[in-house]
Structures are given as C-alpha cells and as structure tokens.
Amino acid sequence: MIPLIGLAAGIVIGLVLSPTVPLWLEPYLPIAVIAALDAVFGGIRAALEAAFNDKVFVVSVLSNVLVAALIVLLGNQLGVGAQLSTGVVVVLGLRIFSNVAAIRRHLMGA
Amino acid sequence: MSEQQSSMPVSTRHAWRRLGRLVRPRLSTGNVLAALMTLAVGFALVTQVQAANDVALDELRETDLIALLDDVSERADTLEAEIRLLESDKRALEQGSGTEAAEAALTRLTSHQILAGTVPVEGPGVTMTVEAREGGFTPTMMIDLMQELRNAGAEAIQIGAVRVVATSWIGIEDGTLLVDGQRVEAPFRIVAIGDPHTLSGAMAIPGGFTDSVRGIGGNVQVVEGEQLVIDALHRVEEPQYARPVPSE
C-alpha cells in the first residue's frame, strides 16, 4: 500500500513542480523511466506470487535504472545511441507486457 | 465478490488475497524504501512525460536535429521547386502564350475585316478602266471579271464606289450596271488589290474579260500600281437566319 501511495505522491509532486529536465539527464530519463516501470510491474507480479521482497524490489529498480542509463551512455559513445535506445525500449516493453500478462493471469485466471 | 471468488480457481483466490494484503499499510523499512522508489518512479515518469510534450530544439539529440533539418530542407526544396514552376507559368502567361493568342486573334480579326469589306485597305494591285457601249454589257461579263480577278489572287475588289464582298451581286437596270443594288455608270473604274503582275496577266488571257469587252466594241485599260487604296466599305448586316453551329 505504501509503495502505491508513493507512486501516486510522486506523480502529484511531478505535476505540481513540473521540473525541467537537466540537459545531461535528457537522454537517460526516458529509458530510465521505462526500466523503472518494468521493475514496478515485476514487483506487482512478485507480490501476487507471494514472492515480493522489499530489498529485491529496491535493488531491481535501482539496477534497472542504472543499466538502462549505462546502455544509453555506451550507445551514445559508440554512436548508436538511437538504435540502442530503441532496442532497450523494445526489450523492456516486452518484459512489461509479459509481467502485465502474468498479473492478469493471477487476478483473472485467464 | 464472494460468488465470483468461489467460482475462481484456488491460485486466483490466493492472488486476490495477496492483493488485499498488499493494500493494507504495513510500515517497515523495506516498504518505505519501496515507496521511495515508486515515488521517484512516479516523479520521473511525469517529468519525462512533460518534458517530451514540449521539446525545445536545444534539448533534442543530434540525430533528431539532423532528421529535423533534413525534413525541413526537403520541404524547402519542394516548395522552391513549386515556386519556380509557378513563376515560369506566370512568365509564360504574361509574355508568351497570352500575347501570342492576342496577336493571333488580332490577325484573324484583320483578315476577317478585309474579307468582309468593313475596313479600307491599301496595297499593290491593278486599276482597270472599262469603257463599254451602252447596252452591250451583260452581268455575266462582270461576274466573269470578278471570278478572274479572284482566281488571280485579288484580296479586295472595288467596282465604281462599291466594295465587292462575298454577298455582292451584279445586275443590269435600264442598261446600267448594278453592283449590290448601286448604279455604276460607265466608264467603270475597278480596283483590285493583289499581286499586280498576276492580276494584269489574268486580264490579258485570250477569251477572258478584256476580250469579251472588246467583242462588244468597248475598251479595257489595266494599270498596275504599287500603292492603291480601296476605301469603299461594305455594311455588314446581322444574319437573320444563319446561326453558327455550337462548337463541341
């Protein structure tokens, strides 16, 4: 429950403050957000499977964000930033889909 | 809800129960940490969404900028080509075909006016003076003359003070020649505009008009001229019955 409240609070804070993204963060933020979303859906799925662990969740969010940022950084350094970003988004999107499908199976049995 | 749950498989019931447990607030370090994480996720999500909604040019990546630049220059090229096309069209309309069409129409109008006899004309041709005895002259001879002159390429003919046009008719009244209903007293003065040599040559053909006039004891005098004027005009009357067939 508290994590859900945290999510809602984060959205509200973002809407109220509407901060400007710093220039150095600009390429990493979208990928980081998608990676974090992947972790959130994975956490919900783990909770429904009674396998949720706070520590694992925190570490997975942080590591997802870090790895995503690293991949983007590496891609930008190699000159294939756009392509690598697309690849990361595709992979994370697939994971989000499969997590959501698992959640749906748990809750609806279908 | 309870009915629904009873019809559900066991694992689904467990999942709902776990969801219910999740919704219950449990204060623990891990939970607070997770909440912090989700707070950050929500914050970043909204921030990114808002940033993506209003992307300024200076925040775009190099590749995006290049793509944008390509797009813009391509559109500019297309528009430039269109401008060139339209301007050449404009020029063509202003100087080329427009005035050409007007000139062609003017030329056509002029030749129609000359054919209809509504304008005075000048040019090279022949002047004929025909003396004939009273009574010996027939309309047929006059028609022969007109045919011979036209055959020789006469573009405008005047008999006496009458312009000869497509509708002109010749008659005799009381021994006096009538052209288009107007009396023409002998000696007739006939002016024809065309190539002077051809016209005078046509008048000299044996068995032609000159011979016929001499046959009745008259005389024909043909004088070539370089600058003759036909000033007799024909009044064009509005056709009463004939109408042009509408063009398709």
Side-chain angles (χ1 to χ4, degrees):
Chain A
M1 184 65 188
I2 293 178
L4 285 178
I5 295 172
L7 187 66
I11 291 174
V12 170
I13 291 171
L15 283 176
V16 170
L17 293 183
S18 62
T20 349
V21 184
L23 200 56
W24 57 270
L25 199 61
E26 181 74 31
Y28 307 107
L29 191 57
I31 305 293
V33 165
I34 289 174
L37 274 181
D38 171 51
V40 167
F41 279 107
I44 295 172
R45 180 188 179 176
L48 292 180
E49 287 168 358
F52 183 77
N53 183 308
D54 299 333
K55 239 177 283 175
V56 171
F57 177 67
V58 171
V59 171
S60 80
V61 169
L62 287 179
S63 74
N64 263 14
V65 168
L66 273 180
V67 170
L70 275 178
I71 289 177
V72 174
L73 181 68
L74 188 66
N76 277 348
Q77 296 301 316
L78 292 176
V80 288
Q83 292 91 326
L84 209 53
S85 298
T86 309
V88 169
V89 167
V90 167
V91 171
L92 292 176
L94 279 175
R95 280 173 55 105
I96 289 172
F97 262 102
S98 67
N99 277 337
V100 168
I103 291 165
R104 192 199 63 224
R105 267 197 301 279
H106 284 306
L107 291 181
M108 317 249 180
Chain B
M1 186 86 174
S2 57
E3 277 174 31
Q4 229 180 344
Q5 272 189 348
S6 65
S7 69
M8 282 175 179
V10 183
S11 66
T12 310
R13 265 210 303 278
H14 283 167
W16 279 106
R17 218 172 294 148
R18 281 185 210 112
L19 194 67
R21 261 208 303 278
L22 278 179
V23 168
R24 262 201 313 276
R26 276 180 303 125
L27 206 61
S28 70
T29 322
N31 223 329
V32 171
L33 270 179
L36 280 178
M37 284 298 116
T38 51
L39 185 129
V41 170
F43 182 72
L45 181 72
V46 172
T47 306
Q48 174 57 27
V49 166
Q50 283 178 341
N53 275 348
D54 49 4
V55 190
L57 277 182
D58 55 359
E59 287 170 4
L60 281 178
R61 256 190 293 201
E62 196 181 344
T63 44
D64 294 337
L65 285 171
I66 291 170
L68 208 66
L69 189 65
D70 276 353
D71 192 43
V72 169
S73 21
E74 204 171 303
R75 278 200 57 190
D77 282 350
T78 317
L79 290 174
E80 293 247 348
E82 206 178 320
I83 287 173
R84 275 197 297 278
L85 199 71
L86 289 174
E87 285 198 332
S88 76
D89 277 4
K90 188 178 158 223
R91 267 199 304 278
L93 284 173
E94 274 177 356
Q95 329 168 336
S97 55
T99 38
E100 272 169 30
E103 276 168 19
L106 204 62
T107 314
R108 228 171 19 245
L109 176 68
T110 311
S111 66
H112 286 178
Q113 281 174 329
I114 293 171
L115 277 176
T118 54
V119 287
V121 290
E122 58 171 19
V126 292
T127 311
M128 299 165 62
T129 314
V130 181
E131 290 171 43
R133 222 172 12 89
E134 191 85 11
F137 211 79
T138 63
T140 320
M141 287 164 67
M142 215 58 202
I143 289 166
D144 280 345
L145 168 69
M146 280 157 56
Q147 297 288 14
E148 282 167 26
L149 285 174
R150 281 176 176 161
N151 251 347
E155 289 167 359
I157 302 169
Q158 174 174 351
I159 299 175
V162 186
R163 180 77 165 263
V164 177
V165 293
T167 52
S168 296
W169 55 276
I170 308 284
I172 291 271
E173 193 183 68
D174 304 332
T176 315
L177 186 68
L178 285 178
V179 179
D180 270 354
Q182 289 190 46
R183 289 173 164 271
V184 180
E185 303 283 351
F188 323 123
R189 189 172 165 274
I190 298 164
V191 184
I193 287 187
D195 182 52
H197 296 295
T198 317
L199 288 174
S200 61
M203 291 304 99
I205 288 174
F209 174 72
T210 315
D211 271 3
S212 321
V213 174
R214 282 187 186 132
I216 58 168
N219 188 31
V220 177
Q221 219 181 343
V222 179
V223 179
E224 293 179 19
E226 281 307 314
Q227 195 65 26
L228 304 177
V229 174
I230 292 186
D231 49 7
L233 296 185
H234 175 76
R235 187 196 298 277
V236 177
E237 279 163 22
E238 201 65 36
Q240 196 178 345
Y241 303 105
R243 293 281 177 272
V245 176
S247 57
E248 294 297 316

